[in-house]
């Protein structure tokens, strides 16, 4: 009898709790169904329709025995259908996707970008220092290639005497420096040794961090392939360097009694590989930073990418790419000029002797032909005749200057391009215009003053700086395909999260009308737009 008074209050309030509990349960069931079913189905029919059509929402035979009038059984069928669509944790599809996402991130870390840009700066420095080594005629002072044991210079007098004796046996010492002292030899030896050590430092400072970033999963899968390619370029560059030096240590590669020099072909190949390695580091570093900037604000990135996909910028991108190729070819023709010492003749501008060009008999001389029928007279004069090589360099340099100014004029005269060109691209183009003017002044000054050391070195550095700014202009105008996909995926994720948010209602019979901002991305990846949809 003592328990009756304690049960009485519960019996008194039980009728009041039952309706509230029923309403609360139905609201929770509605919210759960909205999370499991796509939002489009809610926009077409009221939420309570899911509880009245349990047979249509199930596909297995076991679900056919469920009563149609039961809302909880309908919700159970929806949950079972959702679970069947999801891959199980032990399935191959699930493990495959999880493994790839675990090891390779979608985007490389920012530290990788800064490391690539630092490596590019180091390559820039070694290119300039390599030009100084060539201008001081120090490149042939070390007559052996020892990648490991040659890392240290001679420490004792006997070692110095041995290295000096090897140099005296070279054609350069016999023809140019027969009376060179040991102290003078040490100065050119240290120049070449520093250049080689710098190359080793570039290789080590790139290979070891690359392995670290890949092992620590800081690099995406496409960037991993690119890093491996750059590592191969660095190793190939070292081999090309020794192959170039080796060409200046033999008498059979140049005319008897002439100035000993390395092969202009090998010199240009060595220079071109350095330029390619530098641009690869610069471009990939800038692309990583740009991807991070776009993903930081996907909505703003969508507007930027939409602007870049306008047809007015398509021609501008092509012209920028053609300009980069033209600047590279002009720099390579400068390598031929340096290899043949062609800058020491016709030291005037714009004339070459009595006219704008030398006589035709001098430009296409039979002296440079190596075949009896003289079938190679054209291409050998183009690559081995100092007069024609200098004329080619002048033509390419003038074409580069004209192309840059034409591209700048195109951005000013075209109304459509003037409106659509991003501000960052405009600033990049202004930098290209400034560097091309500087490069023209340095080139003409170097020619007129008979290739002095400071001007010649600055002219070589200017060519790489001009190429750098053209690459920066391209990176600001080019459409990043992978970053666009990541931005689209992130926008889709934001849209799905917005649709999964439950709508507030004042009753079980109907929902209050609300506006959901839906971010849409087209399947072909070419359009970003934000629209408002009303639920039906």
């Amino acid at each position: 009898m003592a328990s009756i008074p304690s049960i009485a209050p519960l019996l008194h309030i039980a009728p009041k709790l039952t309706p509230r509990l029923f309403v609360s349960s139905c609201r929770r069931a509605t919210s759960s169904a909205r999370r499991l079913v796509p939002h489009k189905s809610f926009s077409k029919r009221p939420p309570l329709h899911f509880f009245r059509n349990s047979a249509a929402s199930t596909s297995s035979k076991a679900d056919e025995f469920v009563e149609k009038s039961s809302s909880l059984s309908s919700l159970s069928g929806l949950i079972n259908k959702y679970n069947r669509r999801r891959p199980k944790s032990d399935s191959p599809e699930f493990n495959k996707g999880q493994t790839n996402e675990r090891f390779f991130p979608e985007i490389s870390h920012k530290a990788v970008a800064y490391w690539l840009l630092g490596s590019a700066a180091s390559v820039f420095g070694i290119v300039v220092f390599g030009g100084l080594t060539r201008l001081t005629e120090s490149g042939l002072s070390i007559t052996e290639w020892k990648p490991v044991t040659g890392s240290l210079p001679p420490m004792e007098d006997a070692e110095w005497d041995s290295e000096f004796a090897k140099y005296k046996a070279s054609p350069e010492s016999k023809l140019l420096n027969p009376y060179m002292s040991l102290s003078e030899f040490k100065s050119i030896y240290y120049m070449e040794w520093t250049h080689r050590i710098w190359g080793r430092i570039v290789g080590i400072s790139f290979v070891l961090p690359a392995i670290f970033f890949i092992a620590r999963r800081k690099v995406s899968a496409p960037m991993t392939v690119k890093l491996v390619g750059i590592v191969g370029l660095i190793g190939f560059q070292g081999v090309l360097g020794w192959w170039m030096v080796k060409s200046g240590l033999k008498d059979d590669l140049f005319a008897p009694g002439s100035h000993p020099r390395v092969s202009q072909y090998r010199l240009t190949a060595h220079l071109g590989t350095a330029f390619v390695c530098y641009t690869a580091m610069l471009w990939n570093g800038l692309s990583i930073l740009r991807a991070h900037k776009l993903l930081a604000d996907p909505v703003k990135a969508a507007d930027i990418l939409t602007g870049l996909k306008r047809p007015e910028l398509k021609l501008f991108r092509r012209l920028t790419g053609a300009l980069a190729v033209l600047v590279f070819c002009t720099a390579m023709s400068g390598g031929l000029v340096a290899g043949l010492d062609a800058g020491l003749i016709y030291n005037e501008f714009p004339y070459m002797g009595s006219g704008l060009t030398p006589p035709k008999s001098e430009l296409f001389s039979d002296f440079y032909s190596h075949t009896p029928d003289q079938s190679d007279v054209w291409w050998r004069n183009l690559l081995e005749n100092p007069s024609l090589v200098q004329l080619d360099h002048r033509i390419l340099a003038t074409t580069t200057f004209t192309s840059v100014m034409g591209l700048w004029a195109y951005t000013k005269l075209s109304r459509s391009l003037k409106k659509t060109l991003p501000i960052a691209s405009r600033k990049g183009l202004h930098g290209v215009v400034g560097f091309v003017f500087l490069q023209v002044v340095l080139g003409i000054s170097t020619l007129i003053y008979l290739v002095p050391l400071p001007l010649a070195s600055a002219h070589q550095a200017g060519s790489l700086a001009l190429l750098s700014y053209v690459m920066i202009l391209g990176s600001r105008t080019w459409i990043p395909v992978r970053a666009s996909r990541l931005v689209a995926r992130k926008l889709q994720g934001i849209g799905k999260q917005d649709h999964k948010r439950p709508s507030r209602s004042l009753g079980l019979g109907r929902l209050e009308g609300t506006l959901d901002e839906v971010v849409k991305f087209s399947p072909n990846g070419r359009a970003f737009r934000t629209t408002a949809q009303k639920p039906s």
Side-chain angles (χ1 to χ4, degrees):
M1 298 300 293
S3 60
I4 295 178
S6 61
I7 298 177
L10 295 177
L11 296 176
H12 179 70
I13 63 175
K16 298 182 180 180
L17 291 178
T18 301
R20 295 181 184 178
L21 180 61
F22 175 75
V23 172
S24 177
S25 301
C26 290
R27 287 182 176 177
R28 291 177 183 177
T30 304
S31 177
S32 301
R34 187 179 293 107
R35 294 191 184 95
L36 296 177
V37 182
H39 65 282
K40 294 182 180 179
S41 59
F42 280 95
S43 61
K44 296 180 181 179
R45 53 187 179 178
L48 292 181
H49 185 73
F50 291 101
F51 304 103
R52 301 167 184 168
N53 193 13
S54 60
S57 63
T58 57
S59 59
S60 62
K61 296 183 178 180
D63 296 333
E64 296 179 357
F65 297 96
V66 182
E67 295 182 0
K68 296 183 179 180
S69 59
S70 175
S71 61
L72 295 179
S73 61
S74 177
L75 180 60
S76 176
L78 290 174
I79 295 175
N80 293 333
K81 185 176 181 180
Y82 175 77
N83 291 332
R84 285 195 297 270
R85 290 180 178 178
R86 293 182 59 187
K88 298 181 180 180
S89 59
D90 56 348
S91 62
E93 294 80 9
F94 184 86
N95 293 331
K96 181 179 179 181
Q98 293 294 326
T99 303
N100 293 336
E101 291 180 0
R102 276 201 304 269
F103 193 84
F104 291 112
E106 292 183 344
I107 184 173
S108 301
H109 198 271
K110 275 188 176 182
V112 180
Y114 296 135
W115 161 67
L116 284 172
L117 295 178
S119 300
S122 181
V123 174
F124 188 99
I126 195 175
V127 169
V128 176
F129 192 82
L132 290 173
T133 304
R134 181 190 56 81
L135 291 170
T136 56
E137 297 182 350
S138 305
L140 301 177
S141 58
I142 302 179
T143 59
E144 295 177 344
W145 190 47
K146 299 178 180 179
V148 179
T149 59
S151 301
L152 296 176
M155 298 297 181
E156 300 178 357
D157 295 340
E159 296 178 352
W160 278 112
D161 293 338
S162 175
E163 292 294 330
F164 192 29
K166 295 176 184 178
Y167 175 72
K168 285 183 177 181
S170 65
E172 184 182 69
S173 177
K174 293 178 181 179
L175 296 176
L176 297 180
N177 303 317
Y179 304 105
M180 176 179 284
S181 62
L182 181 60
S183 60
E184 294 173 343
F185 170 73
K186 288 182 178 180
S187 63
I188 63 173
Y189 185 94
Y190 276 121
M191 284 286 295
E192 175 64 14
W193 177 82
T194 304
H195 182 62
R196 295 190 181 189
I197 287 297
W198 198 336
R200 292 182 176 93
I201 293 174
V202 169
I204 295 174
S205 63
F206 193 88
V207 173
L208 296 182
I211 296 175
F212 172 78
F213 284 127
I214 295 175
R216 298 295 296 175
R217 303 170 185 176
K218 301 292 185 180
V219 184
S220 62
M223 188 58 61
T224 302
V225 178
K226 296 176 183 178
L227 294 183
V228 173
I230 296 176
V231 170
L233 275 177
I234 294 175
F236 182 65
Q237 177 72 347
V239 176
L240 276 180
W242 169 244
W243 187 54
M244 178 192 66
V245 172
K246 191 177 180 180
S247 65
L249 301 176
K250 295 181 179 180
D251 298 331
D252 55 349
L253 295 180
F254 45 85
S258 62
H259 189 290
R261 62 170 64 95
V262 298
S263 171
Q264 73 273 16
Y265 300 109
R266 302 184 186 185
L267 174 64
T268 305
H270 187 55
L271 180 65
T273 307
F275 270 54
V276 171
C277 187
Y278 168 79
T279 53
M281 294 176 180
L282 178 65
W283 181 270
N284 289 301
L286 293 176
S287 64
I288 294 175
L289 292 179
R290 190 186 185 194
H292 276 280
K293 186 177 180 180
L294 292 175
L295 291 174
D297 191 352
V299 178
K300 184 179 179 181
D303 296 335
I304 295 175
L305 294 174
T306 303
L308 291 177
K309 292 176 182 178
R310 294 178 180 176
E312 294 85 356
L313 292 177
K314 187 175 182 180
L315 178 60
F316 183 82
R317 280 193 294 270
R318 292 180 177 179
L319 293 176
T320 303
L323 181 61
V325 175
L326 181 59
V327 172
F328 180 82
C329 293
T330 305
M332 295 305 101
S333 69
L336 292 175
V337 171
L340 295 172
D341 290 333
L344 299 176
I345 60 175
Y346 293 111
N347 302 104
E348 52 188 346
F349 189 85
Y351 296 100
M352 297 181 69
S354 58
L356 292 176
T357 63
K360 184 178 180 181
S361 59
E362 181 181 349
L363 293 178
F364 298 97
S365 175
D366 299 338
F367 173 77
Y368 298 97
S369 178
H370 293 180
T371 58
D373 58 351
Q374 296 181 357
S375 59
D376 59 344
V377 66
W378 288 93
W379 70 268
R380 284 196 178 274
N381 277 277
L382 284 171
L383 301 176
E384 297 179 1
N385 187 348
S387 301
L388 187 54
V389 167
Q390 186 189 128
L391 178 61
D392 293 340
H393 187 62
R394 290 189 181 202
I395 294 174
L396 286 173
T398 305
T399 305
T400 301
F401 177 79
T402 306
S403 301
V404 171
M405 299 311 299
L407 186 62
W408 176 80
Y410 175 56
T411 58
K412 297 297 182 181
L413 299 178
S414 177
R415 295 182 179 180
S416 58
L417 182 62
K418 192 175 182 179
K419 294 179 181 179
T420 58
L421 189 65
I423 299 178
S425 299
R426 295 178 186 177
K427 294 180 180 179
L429 183 58
H430 293 163
V432 173
V433 172
F435 271 104
V436 77
F437 268 101
L438 177 63
Q439 185 68 352
V440 168
V441 172
L442 288 174
I444 296 175
S445 302
T446 303
L447 181 67
I448 293 176
Y449 291 102
L450 298 175
V451 196
L453 184 63
L455 287 177
S457 180
H459 185 52
Q460 182 177 2
S463 64
L464 194 54
L466 176 61
L467 181 60
S468 302
Y469 247 90
V470 174
M471 298 300 294
I472 293 174
L473 174 62
S475 68
R476 294 177 179 179
T477 312
W478 229 256
I479 299 176
V481 179
R482 180 174 175 81
S484 300
R485 294 174 181 173
L486 295 178
V487 169
R489 191 183 306 171
K490 197 169 184 180
L491 287 173
Q492 288 178 346
I494 294 176
K496 291 180 180 180
Q497 291 179 2
D498 292 339
H499 291 307
K500 289 180 180 180
R501 294 175 182 175
S503 302
R504 295 182 179 180
S505 60
L506 297 178
L508 295 176
R510 61 189 181 92
L511 293 174
E512 292 292 331
T514 57
L515 288 177
D516 296 332
E517 290 296 322
V518 182
V519 182
K520 290 188 176 180
F521 181 77
S522 62
N524 56 6
R526 294 184 178 179
F528 291 87
R529 60 194 179 97
T530 303
T531 58
Q533 293 185 349
K534 293 183 179 181
S536 58

